[in-house]
Amino acid sequence: MPPTVRIAVYVQPNAKRTEVVGQHGADFKIRVAAPAVEQSANVALLAFVASRLGLRPRDIRLVAGAASRHKVLEIDGRTAQQIEHLLRLSP
């Protein structure tokens, strides 16, 4: 059975491009090019993280913070160490 891991992210919508920019406290800080309107930033965030981790979008769920910049993602199929490594790599 693949592992399920929760990670905390801090999202900055309306950025010039979508990218991981480091840490915001204990959270991963991710800039998202999509605006924070009608869940478009959340959808873009999930698609970006899935792409960076080599997963399908359905393997990642937003479990907390839908209307906040601080969010919690639940990720299937990767260990915490793999997630940290893949998100820290340059695109």
Side-chain angles (χ1 to χ4, degrees):
M1 185 167 150
T4 298
V5 176
R6 286 188 176 198
I7 64 166
V9 296
Y10 179 82
V11 178
Q12 179 184 347
N14 290 322
K16 289 185 179 183
R17 65 178 181 211
T18 301
E19 61 187 342
V20 179
V21 292
Q23 294 288 128
H24 182 81
D27 301 354
F28 284 100
K29 183 175 180 182
I30 301 176
R31 291 184 182 143
V32 179
V37 177
E38 297 181 6
Q39 299 297 313
S40 60
N42 289 337
V43 171
L45 170 68
L46 295 176
F48 173 73
V49 172
S51 173
R52 283 293 290 264
L53 299 179
L55 296 171
R56 300 167 296 199
R58 71 178 181 217
D59 293 329
I60 300 176
R61 293 167 300 286
L62 176 62
V63 295
S68 170
R69 287 183 177 221
H70 294 278
K71 301 178 185 301
V72 177
L73 304 180
E74 191 171 75
I75 301 168
D76 296 332
R78 295 284 183 264
T79 65
Q81 294 80 14
Q82 290 171 323
I83 292 167
E84 185 169 345
H85 175 72
L86 292 168
L87 288 180
R88 290 189 191 282
L89 287 177
S90 296

Short mmCIF file of all heavy atoms in Angstrom, two decimals, residues 29-85:
data_model
loop_
_atom_site.label_atom_id
_atom_site.label_comp_id
_atom_site.label_asym_id
_atom_site.label_seq_id
_atom_site.Cartn_x
_atom_site.Cartn_y
_atom_site.Cartn_z
N LYS A 29 6.77 27.11 0.57
CA LYS A 29 6.17 28.30 -0.03
C LYS A 29 6.13 28.08 -1.53
O LYS A 29 7.16 27.82 -2.16
CB LYS A 29 6.97 29.55 0.29
CG LYS A 29 6.31 30.81 -0.27
CD LYS A 29 7.04 32.07 0.15
CE LYS A 29 6.34 33.29 -0.43
NZ LYS A 29 7.06 34.52 -0.06
N ILE A 30 4.92 28.19 -2.09
CA ILE A 30 4.72 27.97 -3.52
C ILE A 30 3.98 29.17 -4.10
O ILE A 30 2.92 29.56 -3.60
CB ILE A 30 3.92 26.68 -3.78
CG1 ILE A 30 4.66 25.47 -3.20
CG2 ILE A 30 3.64 26.50 -5.27
CD1 ILE A 30 3.92 24.16 -3.30
N ARG A 31 4.56 29.74 -5.14
CA ARG A 31 3.89 30.82 -5.88
C ARG A 31 3.08 30.17 -6.99
O ARG A 31 3.56 29.27 -7.67
CB ARG A 31 4.91 31.78 -6.47
CG ARG A 31 5.63 32.59 -5.45
CD ARG A 31 6.55 33.59 -6.10
NE ARG A 31 7.27 34.32 -5.07
CZ ARG A 31 8.53 34.70 -5.16
NH1 ARG A 31 9.23 34.43 -6.24
NH2 ARG A 31 9.09 35.35 -4.17
N VAL A 32 1.87 30.68 -7.18
CA VAL A 32 0.96 30.14 -8.20
C VAL A 32 0.55 31.27 -9.12
O VAL A 32 0.14 32.34 -8.65
CB VAL A 32 -0.28 29.49 -7.53
CG1 VAL A 32 -1.24 28.96 -8.57
CG2 VAL A 32 0.14 28.39 -6.57
N ALA A 33 0.66 31.04 -10.42
CA ALA A 33 0.32 32.08 -11.39
C ALA A 33 -1.17 32.35 -11.47
O ALA A 33 -1.59 33.43 -11.89
CB ALA A 33 0.85 31.69 -12.77
N ALA A 34 -1.99 31.44 -11.04
CA ALA A 34 -3.44 31.60 -11.10
C ALA A 34 -3.93 32.55 -10.01
O ALA A 34 -3.35 32.62 -8.93
CB ALA A 34 -4.12 30.24 -10.95
N PRO A 35 -5.02 33.27 -10.28
CA PRO A 35 -5.59 34.15 -9.26
C PRO A 35 -6.36 33.35 -8.21
O PRO A 35 -6.78 32.22 -8.45
CB PRO A 35 -6.54 35.05 -10.06
CG PRO A 35 -6.95 34.20 -11.21
CD PRO A 35 -5.74 33.35 -11.55
N ALA A 36 -6.56 33.96 -7.06
CA ALA A 36 -7.31 33.32 -5.98
C ALA A 36 -8.80 33.58 -6.16
O ALA A 36 -9.46 34.15 -5.31
CB ALA A 36 -6.83 33.84 -4.64
N VAL A 37 -9.31 33.16 -7.30
CA VAL A 37 -10.72 33.37 -7.63
C VAL A 37 -11.34 32.03 -8.02
O VAL A 37 -10.78 31.31 -8.86
CB VAL A 37 -10.86 34.37 -8.81
CG1 VAL A 37 -12.32 34.55 -9.20
CG2 VAL A 37 -10.23 35.70 -8.45
N GLU A 38 -12.47 31.70 -7.41
CA GLU A 38 -13.23 30.50 -7.74
C GLU A 38 -12.35 29.24 -7.77
O GLU A 38 -12.44 28.43 -8.70
CB GLU A 38 -13.97 30.67 -9.06
CG GLU A 38 -15.00 31.78 -9.01
CD GLU A 38 -15.76 31.94 -10.31
OE1 GLU A 38 -15.58 31.12 -11.23
OE2 GLU A 38 -16.54 32.90 -10.39
N GLN A 39 -11.49 29.09 -6.78
CA GLN A 39 -10.66 27.89 -6.61
C GLN A 39 -9.59 27.69 -7.68
O GLN A 39 -8.92 26.66 -7.70
CB GLN A 39 -11.54 26.64 -6.52
CG GLN A 39 -12.51 26.63 -5.36
CD GLN A 39 -11.81 26.65 -4.01
OE1 GLN A 39 -10.88 25.91 -3.79
NE2 GLN A 39 -12.27 27.52 -3.12
N SER A 40 -9.40 28.66 -8.57
CA SER A 40 -8.42 28.45 -9.64
C SER A 40 -7.00 28.32 -9.09
O SER A 40 -6.20 27.53 -9.63
CB SER A 40 -8.50 29.55 -10.69
OG SER A 40 -8.25 30.81 -10.11
N ALA A 41 -6.65 29.04 -8.04
CA ALA A 41 -5.32 28.91 -7.45
C ALA A 41 -5.15 27.52 -6.81
O ALA A 41 -4.08 26.91 -6.91
CB ALA A 41 -5.07 30.00 -6.42
N ASN A 42 -6.19 27.01 -6.18
CA ASN A 42 -6.12 25.68 -5.58
C ASN A 42 -5.94 24.60 -6.65
O ASN A 42 -5.13 23.68 -6.49
CB ASN A 42 -7.36 25.38 -4.74
CG ASN A 42 -7.41 26.20 -3.47
OD1 ASN A 42 -6.39 26.67 -2.98
ND2 ASN A 42 -8.61 26.39 -2.94
N VAL A 43 -6.67 24.71 -7.73
CA VAL A 43 -6.56 23.75 -8.83
C VAL A 43 -5.15 23.80 -9.42
O VAL A 43 -4.52 22.76 -9.66
CB VAL A 43 -7.64 24.02 -9.91
CG1 VAL A 43 -7.39 23.18 -11.14
CG2 VAL A 43 -9.03 23.75 -9.34
N ALA A 44 -4.63 25.00 -9.63
CA ALA A 44 -3.28 25.16 -10.18
C ALA A 44 -2.24 24.61 -9.22
O ALA A 44 -1.27 23.97 -9.63
CB ALA A 44 -3.01 26.63 -10.48
N LEU A 45 -2.44 24.82 -7.93
CA LEU A 45 -1.51 24.30 -6.92
C LEU A 45 -1.46 22.78 -6.97
O LEU A 45 -0.38 22.18 -7.01
CB LEU A 45 -1.94 24.75 -5.52
CG LEU A 45 -1.20 24.09 -4.35
CD1 LEU A 45 0.25 24.53 -4.31
CD2 LEU A 45 -1.92 24.40 -3.04
N LEU A 46 -2.62 22.13 -6.97
CA LEU A 46 -2.66 20.67 -7.00
C LEU A 46 -2.03 20.11 -8.26
O LEU A 46 -1.28 19.13 -8.21
CB LEU A 46 -4.10 20.18 -6.85
CG LEU A 46 -4.77 20.51 -5.50
CD1 LEU A 46 -6.22 20.06 -5.50
CD2 LEU A 46 -4.01 19.92 -4.34
N ALA A 47 -2.30 20.73 -9.41
CA ALA A 47 -1.71 20.27 -10.67
C ALA A 47 -0.19 20.44 -10.66
O ALA A 47 0.54 19.55 -11.11
CB ALA A 47 -2.32 21.04 -11.84
N PHE A 48 0.29 21.56 -10.13
CA PHE A 48 1.73 21.81 -10.07
C PHE A 48 2.43 20.81 -9.16
O PHE A 48 3.45 20.23 -9.53
CB PHE A 48 1.98 23.24 -9.58
CG PHE A 48 3.43 23.54 -9.33
CD1 PHE A 48 4.31 23.69 -10.38
CD2 PHE A 48 3.91 23.65 -8.04
CE1 PHE A 48 5.66 23.96 -10.15
CE2 PHE A 48 5.25 23.92 -7.79
CZ PHE A 48 6.13 24.07 -8.85
N VAL A 49 1.89 20.60 -7.98
CA VAL A 49 2.51 19.66 -7.03
C VAL A 49 2.50 18.25 -7.61
O VAL A 49 3.50 17.53 -7.52
CB VAL A 49 1.84 19.73 -5.64
CG1 VAL A 49 2.34 18.63 -4.72
CG2 VAL A 49 2.07 21.10 -5.01
N ALA A 50 1.40 17.85 -8.23
CA ALA A 50 1.34 16.52 -8.85
C ALA A 50 2.42 16.38 -9.92
O ALA A 50 3.11 15.36 -9.98
CB ALA A 50 -0.04 16.29 -9.46
N SER A 51 2.59 17.40 -10.73
CA SER A 51 3.60 17.37 -11.78
C SER A 51 5.00 17.26 -11.19
O SER A 51 5.82 16.46 -11.64
CB SER A 51 3.48 18.63 -12.64
OG SER A 51 4.53 18.70 -13.56
N ARG A 52 5.31 18.07 -10.18
CA ARG A 52 6.64 18.04 -9.55
C ARG A 52 6.94 16.69 -8.91
O ARG A 52 8.08 16.26 -8.88
CB ARG A 52 6.75 19.13 -8.47
CG ARG A 52 6.96 20.52 -8.99
CD ARG A 52 8.31 20.74 -9.66
NE ARG A 52 9.44 20.72 -8.77
CZ ARG A 52 10.01 21.79 -8.25
NH1 ARG A 52 9.54 22.98 -8.55
NH2 ARG A 52 11.04 21.67 -7.45
N LEU A 53 5.90 16.03 -8.38
CA LEU A 53 6.09 14.76 -7.69
C LEU A 53 5.94 13.56 -8.62
O LEU A 53 6.12 12.42 -8.20
CB LEU A 53 5.12 14.63 -6.52
CG LEU A 53 5.25 15.70 -5.43
CD1 LEU A 53 4.21 15.46 -4.35
CD2 LEU A 53 6.65 15.74 -4.86
N GLY A 54 5.60 13.79 -9.89
CA GLY A 54 5.42 12.70 -10.83
C GLY A 54 4.20 11.85 -10.51
O GLY A 54 4.21 10.64 -10.72
N LEU A 55 3.15 12.50 -10.02
CA LEU A 55 1.92 11.80 -9.63
C LEU A 55 0.75 12.27 -10.48
O LEU A 55 0.82 13.29 -11.16
CB LEU A 55 1.62 12.07 -8.15
CG LEU A 55 2.63 11.56 -7.14
CD1 LEU A 55 2.31 12.10 -5.76
CD2 LEU A 55 2.66 10.04 -7.13
N ARG A 56 -0.34 11.53 -10.39
CA ARG A 56 -1.58 11.95 -11.03
C ARG A 56 -2.26 12.98 -10.12
O ARG A 56 -2.14 12.89 -8.90
CB ARG A 56 -2.51 10.76 -11.22
CG ARG A 56 -1.92 9.66 -12.10
CD ARG A 56 -2.75 8.43 -11.99
NE ARG A 56 -2.66 7.98 -10.58
CZ ARG A 56 -2.95 6.76 -10.16
NH1 ARG A 56 -3.39 5.86 -11.00
NH2 ARG A 56 -2.83 6.43 -8.90
N PRO A 57 -2.98 13.93 -10.69
CA PRO A 57 -3.67 14.92 -9.84
C PRO A 57 -4.60 14.29 -8.81
O PRO A 57 -4.76 14.84 -7.72
CB PRO A 57 -4.45 15.76 -10.86
CG PRO A 57 -3.63 15.67 -12.10
CD PRO A 57 -3.08 14.26 -12.11
N ARG A 58 -5.18 13.15 -9.10
CA ARG A 58 -6.09 12.53 -8.13
C ARG A 58 -5.35 11.95 -6.92
O ARG A 58 -5.99 11.56 -5.95
CB ARG A 58 -6.94 11.47 -8.81
CG ARG A 58 -6.19 10.24 -9.21
CD ARG A 58 -7.12 9.23 -9.83
NE ARG A 58 -6.39 8.03 -10.20
CZ ARG A 58 -6.62 7.32 -11.26
NH1 ARG A 58 -7.58 7.68 -12.08
NH2 ARG A 58 -5.91 6.25 -11.51
N ASP A 59 -4.02 11.89 -6.98
CA ASP A 59 -3.23 11.39 -5.85
C ASP A 59 -2.96 12.48 -4.80
O ASP A 59 -2.33 12.21 -3.78
CB ASP A 59 -1.89 10.82 -6.33
CG ASP A 59 -2.07 9.56 -7.15
OD1 ASP A 59 -3.02 8.81 -6.90
OD2 ASP A 59 -1.24 9.33 -8.06
N ILE A 60 -3.42 13.69 -5.07
CA ILE A 60 -3.19 14.82 -4.17
C ILE A 60 -4.53 15.48 -3.85
O ILE A 60 -5.31 15.76 -4.75
CB ILE A 60 -2.23 15.84 -4.80
CG1 ILE A 60 -0.90 15.15 -5.10
CG2 ILE A 60 -2.03 17.04 -3.88
CD1 ILE A 60 0.09 16.02 -5.79
N ARG A 61 -4.75 15.70 -2.56
CA ARG A 61 -6.00 16.31 -2.11
C ARG A 61 -5.72 17.50 -1.20
O ARG A 61 -4.81 17.45 -0.37
CB ARG A 61 -6.85 15.30 -1.35
CG ARG A 61 -7.37 14.18 -2.23
CD ARG A 61 -7.94 13.02 -1.43
NE ARG A 61 -7.00 12.39 -0.53
CZ ARG A 61 -6.00 11.57 -0.91
NH1 ARG A 61 -5.78 11.33 -2.18
NH2 ARG A 61 -5.21 11.01 -0.01
N LEU A 62 -6.52 18.53 -1.34
CA LEU A 62 -6.48 19.67 -0.44
C LEU A 62 -7.40 19.33 0.74
O LEU A 62 -8.61 19.19 0.55
CB LEU A 62 -6.96 20.92 -1.16
CG LEU A 62 -7.06 22.20 -0.36
CD1 LEU A 62 -5.70 22.61 0.18
CD2 LEU A 62 -7.64 23.31 -1.20
N VAL A 63 -6.83 19.15 1.93
CA VAL A 63 -7.63 18.71 3.08
C VAL A 63 -7.89 19.82 4.09
O VAL A 63 -8.74 19.65 4.96
CB VAL A 63 -7.01 17.48 3.78
CG1 VAL A 63 -7.03 16.27 2.85
CG2 VAL A 63 -5.61 17.75 4.27
N ALA A 64 -7.19 20.94 3.96
CA ALA A 64 -7.44 22.07 4.86
C ALA A 64 -6.94 23.35 4.20
O ALA A 64 -5.95 23.34 3.47
CB ALA A 64 -6.73 21.87 6.19
N GLY A 65 -7.65 24.45 4.45
CA GLY A 65 -7.19 25.75 3.98
C GLY A 65 -7.64 26.16 2.60
O GLY A 65 -6.97 26.95 1.96
N ALA A 66 -8.78 25.68 2.15
CA ALA A 66 -9.24 26.00 0.78
C ALA A 66 -9.34 27.50 0.54
O ALA A 66 -9.06 27.97 -0.56
CB ALA A 66 -10.58 25.34 0.51
N ALA A 67 -9.69 28.28 1.56
CA ALA A 67 -9.83 29.73 1.39
C ALA A 67 -8.70 30.50 2.06
O ALA A 67 -8.78 31.71 2.24
CB ALA A 67 -11.18 30.18 1.97
N SER A 68 -7.63 29.82 2.41
CA SER A 68 -6.51 30.43 3.12
C SER A 68 -5.23 30.28 2.31
O SER A 68 -5.14 29.43 1.43
CB SER A 68 -6.34 29.72 4.47
OG SER A 68 -5.15 30.12 5.11
N ARG A 69 -4.23 31.08 2.63
CA ARG A 69 -2.92 30.89 2.01
C ARG A 69 -2.19 29.70 2.62
O ARG A 69 -1.33 29.12 2.00
CB ARG A 69 -2.07 32.15 2.15
CG ARG A 69 -2.54 33.27 1.26
CD ARG A 69 -1.64 34.47 1.39
NE ARG A 69 -2.09 35.51 0.47
CZ ARG A 69 -1.28 36.25 -0.25
NH1 ARG A 69 0.02 36.09 -0.14
NH2 ARG A 69 -1.75 37.17 -1.05
N HIS A 70 -2.51 29.39 3.87
CA HIS A 70 -1.94 28.22 4.54
C HIS A 70 -2.82 27.01 4.23
O HIS A 70 -4.00 27.02 4.56
CB HIS A 70 -1.86 28.43 6.05
CG HIS A 70 -0.90 29.50 6.44
ND1 HIS A 70 0.46 29.28 6.54
CD2 HIS A 70 -1.09 30.81 6.73
CE1 HIS A 70 1.06 30.40 6.89
NE2 HIS A 70 0.14 31.35 7.00
N LYS A 71 -2.25 26.00 3.59
CA LYS A 71 -3.03 24.84 3.16
C LYS A 71 -2.34 23.56 3.61
O LYS A 71 -1.14 23.53 3.83
CB LYS A 71 -3.16 24.84 1.64
CG LYS A 71 -3.83 26.09 1.11
CD LYS A 71 -3.92 26.11 -0.38
CE LYS A 71 -4.47 27.41 -0.90
NZ LYS A 71 -5.78 27.77 -0.45
N VAL A 72 -3.13 22.51 3.71
CA VAL A 72 -2.59 21.18 4.00
C VAL A 72 -2.99 20.27 2.84
O VAL A 72 -4.17 20.18 2.48
CB VAL A 72 -3.13 20.62 5.33
CG1 VAL A 72 -2.61 19.20 5.56
CG2 VAL A 72 -2.74 21.52 6.49
N LEU A 73 -1.97 19.62 2.26
CA LEU A 73 -2.19 18.69 1.16
C LEU A 73 -1.95 17.27 1.66
O LEU A 73 -1.03 17.03 2.44
CB LEU A 73 -1.23 18.97 0.00
CG LEU A 73 -1.23 20.38 -0.57
CD1 LEU A 73 -0.22 20.47 -1.72
CD2 LEU A 73 -2.61 20.78 -1.04
N GLU A 74 -2.77 16.36 1.20
CA GLU A 74 -2.59 14.94 1.48
C GLU A 74 -2.17 14.28 0.18
O GLU A 74 -2.82 14.43 -0.85
CB GLU A 74 -3.91 14.35 1.99
CG GLU A 74 -3.78 12.97 2.56
CD GLU A 74 -5.06 12.54 3.24
OE1 GLU A 74 -6.02 12.20 2.50
OE2 GLU A 74 -5.11 12.56 4.47
N ILE A 75 -1.04 13.57 0.24
CA ILE A 75 -0.40 13.04 -0.97
C ILE A 75 -0.23 11.54 -0.84
O ILE A 75 0.34 11.06 0.15
CB ILE A 75 0.97 13.71 -1.19
CG1 ILE A 75 0.77 15.23 -1.32
CG2 ILE A 75 1.66 13.14 -2.41
CD1 ILE A 75 2.05 16.03 -1.26
N ASP A 76 -0.72 10.80 -1.83
CA ASP A 76 -0.57 9.34 -1.89
C ASP A 76 0.60 8.98 -2.80
O ASP A 76 0.83 9.62 -3.82
CB ASP A 76 -1.83 8.68 -2.47
CG ASP A 76 -3.05 8.87 -1.60
OD1 ASP A 76 -2.90 9.02 -0.38
OD2 ASP A 76 -4.16 8.89 -2.16
N GLY A 77 1.34 7.94 -2.43
CA GLY A 77 2.32 7.39 -3.35
C GLY A 77 3.75 7.88 -3.20
O GLY A 77 4.62 7.47 -3.96
N ARG A 78 4.01 8.77 -2.26
CA ARG A 78 5.37 9.26 -2.02
C ARG A 78 5.61 9.34 -0.51
O ARG A 78 4.70 9.65 0.25
CB ARG A 78 5.60 10.65 -2.62
CG ARG A 78 5.50 10.72 -4.12
CD ARG A 78 6.75 10.16 -4.78
NE ARG A 78 6.71 10.28 -6.22
CZ ARG A 78 6.32 9.33 -7.04
NH1 ARG A 78 5.92 8.17 -6.57
NH2 ARG A 78 6.33 9.52 -8.35
N THR A 79 6.86 9.10 -0.11
CA THR A 79 7.22 9.25 1.29
C THR A 79 7.49 10.73 1.57
O THR A 79 7.68 11.52 0.64
CB THR A 79 8.48 8.45 1.65
OG1 THR A 79 9.58 9.00 0.91
CG2 THR A 79 8.31 6.97 1.34
N ALA A 80 7.54 11.10 2.82
CA ALA A 80 7.83 12.48 3.19
C ALA A 80 9.20 12.90 2.66
O ALA A 80 9.37 14.03 2.19
CB ALA A 80 7.77 12.65 4.71
N GLN A 81 10.17 12.01 2.71
CA GLN A 81 11.51 12.32 2.22
C GLN A 81 11.50 12.55 0.71
O GLN A 81 12.17 13.45 0.21
CB GLN A 81 12.50 11.20 2.58
CG GLN A 81 12.75 11.05 4.06
CD GLN A 81 11.64 10.28 4.79
OE1 GLN A 81 10.79 9.63 4.18
NE2 GLN A 81 11.65 10.39 6.11
N GLN A 82 10.77 11.73 -0.03
CA GLN A 82 10.68 11.91 -1.48
C GLN A 82 10.01 13.24 -1.82
O GLN A 82 10.47 13.96 -2.72
CB GLN A 82 9.88 10.77 -2.12
CG GLN A 82 10.58 9.44 -2.11
CD GLN A 82 9.66 8.32 -2.55
OE1 GLN A 82 8.47 8.30 -2.24
NE2 GLN A 82 10.22 7.35 -3.27
N ILE A 83 8.96 13.57 -1.11
CA ILE A 83 8.24 14.82 -1.36
C ILE A 83 9.16 16.01 -1.11
O ILE A 83 9.27 16.91 -1.94
CB ILE A 83 6.98 14.91 -0.49
CG1 ILE A 83 5.95 13.86 -0.94
CG2 ILE A 83 6.38 16.32 -0.54
CD1 ILE A 83 4.82 13.64 0.03
N GLU A 84 9.85 15.99 0.01
CA GLU A 84 10.75 17.10 0.33
C GLU A 84 11.84 17.23 -0.72
O GLU A 84 12.14 18.32 -1.19
CB GLU A 84 11.37 16.89 1.71
CG GLU A 84 12.22 18.06 2.13
CD GLU A 84 12.63 18.00 3.59
OE1 GLU A 84 12.05 17.23 4.36
OE2 GLU A 84 13.55 18.75 3.94
N HIS A 85 12.42 16.11 -1.12
CA HIS A 85 13.48 16.14 -2.13
C HIS A 85 12.96 16.69 -3.47
O HIS A 85 13.58 17.56 -4.09
CB HIS A 85 14.05 14.74 -2.32
CG HIS A 85 15.06 14.63 -3.41
ND1 HIS A 85 16.33 15.16 -3.30
CD2 HIS A 85 14.98 14.09 -4.66
CE1 HIS A 85 16.99 14.93 -4.43
NE2 HIS A 85 16.20 14.29 -5.26
#
